[in-house]
Each structure stands twice: as structure tokens, then as C-alpha cells.
Amino acid sequence: NLYKFEKKFKDIFKTKTNNHMKEVFHDFTGIFDKIDDELYIDSGHLNRLGNLIVSSHIAKLINDKKNH
């Protein structure tokens, strides 16, 4: 059940320090804000361009973490 999952998720991660949360989770909320092109094939699935944008952000995070 999605409600139980969400509650468990919040319960587990509310106990973590804010710094730890920033290491584990990354907010991609605005990555499409300046993109006018079509990014979805339906209401929840990204097309090739959408996937490329997300994967490039993930690759940048990995690269930045590796170089620290």
C-alpha cells in the first residue's frame, strides 16, 4: 500500500540528520523548468530527451562526488 510505504519512508528518514539527507537524496524538482521540448510519452514516463536530462544530472552528481 502506497500510504504505508510513504509513512514508513518518512518515519525512517525523519530520524536522519539534515546533512545525511543531503548525501542520500537529491532534489531534481526543477530540472525541466527551462526546457520547452516535449519530455514525456504519457503522464508519467519520460521520452529519450527526458531520460537524457535526468541521466546527465545523475552522472554529474556521481562525477562531483568522485572528485571530492
Side-chain angles (χ1 to χ4, degrees), residues 9-62:
F9 178 84
K10 287 180 180 179
D11 290 345
I12 291 170
F13 288 101
K14 278 186 177 178
T15 62
K16 304 293 181 190
T17 65
N18 197 23
N19 287 340
H20 179 73
M21 292 295 286
K22 289 179 182 176
E23 291 175 18
V24 178
F25 292 96
H26 300 278
D27 184 7
F28 284 5
T29 304
I31 66 172
F32 300 139
D33 286 353
K34 295 181 181 180
I35 312 276
D36 290 329
D37 297 327
E38 185 68 37
L39 300 173
Y40 291 90
I41 57 174
D42 58 28
S43 64
H45 296 91
L46 294 169
N47 65 18
R48 290 178 75 184
L49 177 58
N51 283 316
L52 178 65
I53 293 167
V54 172
S55 63
S56 68
H57 277 71
I58 293 170
K60 183 179 180 331
L61 283 171
I62 293 168

